[in-house]
Amino acid sequence: MYWFREINIPALLLYVSLTAAWAIGGWLLVNYAFRLRPSERLISGIAAGCILFITLGNLFAPLMPLPASFSLAAVLILAAGLASGWAARKTRPLPLSDLKNWPQLVAFFSLIVIFAMIQRGLALFDDYLHLPLVSTMAAGDIPPHFYLNPDFRFTYHYALQVWAASMVRMAGLFPWSAWDLSKAVMIALTLMLGWVWVKRLTKSAFLASLGSALFTFGGGTRWLLLLLPNPILSRLQTGIQLINSGADSGATLAQALAGPWVIEGTGVMPFPFAFHNGVFIPVLFMLGSTGALMYVTVLLLLLLVPRQRLTVLGIIILGLILANL
């Protein structure tokens, strides 16, 4: 068994309904609180709904039982979206014309399937940390205590784990399948939002596809240091102090660049230290990291940057999305 620890059809249907609620609510909020092009609304709305669901669920969790907190978050997002359509004096608040961009949804769900299947059995990097964290929060401990010492709060960035915890608690998924699925969705959202954003800048679907590929595979340029002559690299490294896993990987920068990245959970094949980068990490790397939610948040904020005066609703939405960082 990989996906479900228990099969509870009513609970699963309820969770799917709540997921549809925050997705539709996010779509409506993006439509009526911001001035986006029709081709930008579907994916941006799903991303906004998901981030709002995580943020509100995290806010409500200390105040009420976990299922109630997530249910309230989803219902509030949908209600706010419908209210924004009503306030705009739309007799039919659902902007069904946006559905002509259905190929985006096909690409989005196809990417989810691809990355979810890649995740199966791929326990890399910090998964030994994330899986207990998801399990702990699914039990209702939000904000979480440190599972190795319950006297301490776990001061760790845990936004995406909140969503995974909701799947475990309400949909019956295992912690690992919920965590893998949440990462797959965020990687897919990053690539789709990246496509939409580059398309806005370039007006070209081809260039948008190249930009999305860059988000997928592109990273930092630390490896270019390997092309420097050794005397120049030796002088350069005198002003560089290695910290954390960098210090574990080598006594000097040149030594670290020539060897593997020394961290836990790298698998059988070592990962070269020169291929990692701490400034811009390729989205593909998020298969074994904390997820691409940060990239989703930043890209969504770039898309929602107002070209007009913000309404109160727009300010609230941007504030909640920004708080997710």
Side-chain angles (χ1 to χ4, degrees):
M1 292 291 290
Y2 167 76
W3 285 106
F4 294 96
R5 55 186 172 82
E6 62 176 357
I7 304 295
N8 187 328
I9 300 301
L12 186 58
L13 290 176
L14 173 62
Y15 191 81
V16 171
S17 301
L18 293 175
T19 301
W22 59 249
I24 294 173
W27 174 34
L28 293 173
L29 288 172
V30 163
N31 192 289
Y32 295 117
F34 303 93
R35 293 187 181 275
L36 270 67
R37 298 176 177 88
S39 61
E40 300 171 349
R41 293 173 188 158
L42 271 177
I43 296 299
S44 298
I46 293 173
C50 187
I51 292 176
L52 292 172
F53 177 71
I54 293 172
T55 304
L56 293 176
N58 180 66
L59 286 174
F60 297 150
L63 307 176
M64 60 188 71
L66 211 58
S69 65
F70 289 122
S71 299
L72 178 60
V75 170
L76 278 179
I77 295 168
L78 178 60
L82 291 172
S84 65
W86 176 82
R89 292 179 172 80
K90 299 288 185 180
T91 56
R92 296 180 179 178
L94 287 178
L96 297 180
S97 60
D98 291 354
L99 295 179
K100 66 182 180 182
N101 298 296
W102 59 267
Q104 293 183 8
L105 293 179
V106 173
F108 173 55
F109 287 110
S110 298
L111 288 171
I112 292 175
V113 172
I114 291 171
F115 288 114
M117 296 306 293
I118 291 174
Q119 294 278 356
R120 295 190 63 168
L122 192 69
L124 294 174
F125 305 139
D126 291 344
D127 272 358
Y128 69 92
L129 182 152
H130 300 303
L131 295 180
L133 181 58
V134 169
S135 181
T136 297
M137 291 197 293
D141 189 21
I142 300 177
H145 291 79
F146 186 29
Y147 43 80
L148 296 180
N149 188 343
D151 293 332
F152 293 94
R153 288 286 183 185
F154 196 20
T155 53
Y156 186 81
H157 44 90
Y158 62 85
L160 187 57
Q161 290 88 338
V162 172
W163 188 28
S166 74
M167 299 182 202
V168 175
R169 181 64 177 270
M170 299 184 67
L173 273 70
F174 282 112
W176 49 83
S177 57
W179 179 236
D180 289 348
L181 181 58
S182 64
K183 286 191 291 181
V185 172
M186 287 303 153
I187 293 173
L189 272 178
T190 300
L191 301 186
M192 294 304 301
L193 287 173
W195 188 93
V196 170
W197 183 58
V198 177
K199 176 71 160 43
R200 174 193 285 185
L201 297 178
T202 64
K203 310 294 191 298
S204 167
F206 174 72
L207 293 178
S209 300
L210 289 181
S212 188
L214 176 62
F215 287 127
T216 307
F217 300 106
T221 55
R222 180 188 292 170
W223 59 272
L224 290 175
L225 295 173
L226 293 171
L227 303 178
L228 293 177
N230 192 58
I232 296 178
L233 182 58
S234 297
R235 289 198 299 271
L236 177 66
Q237 69 184 6
T238 58
I240 296 176
Q241 180 181 357
L242 299 175
I243 62 173
N244 299 331
S245 59
D248 296 332
S249 301
T252 64
L253 177 62
Q255 182 180 342
L257 288 172
W261 186 25
V262 180
I263 58 172
E264 296 289 341
T266 53
V268 178
M269 297 296 293
F271 191 91
F273 179 79
F275 288 173
H276 183 57
N277 189 272
V279 178
F280 180 79
I281 301 173
V283 176
L284 197 63
F285 189 84
M286 295 302 172
L287 287 167
S289 187
T290 56
L293 179 59
M294 180 181 69
Y295 291 171
V296 171
T297 306
V298 171
L299 285 169
L300 183 60
L301 288 171
L302 287 173
L303 286 167
L304 296 183
V305 167
R307 288 171 287 180
Q308 78 288 337
R309 188 173 181 177
L310 271 176
T311 63
V312 173
L313 178 62
I315 293 172
I316 293 173
I317 294 172
L318 282 180
L320 289 172
I321 292 174
L322 188 61
N324 191 267
L325 291 174

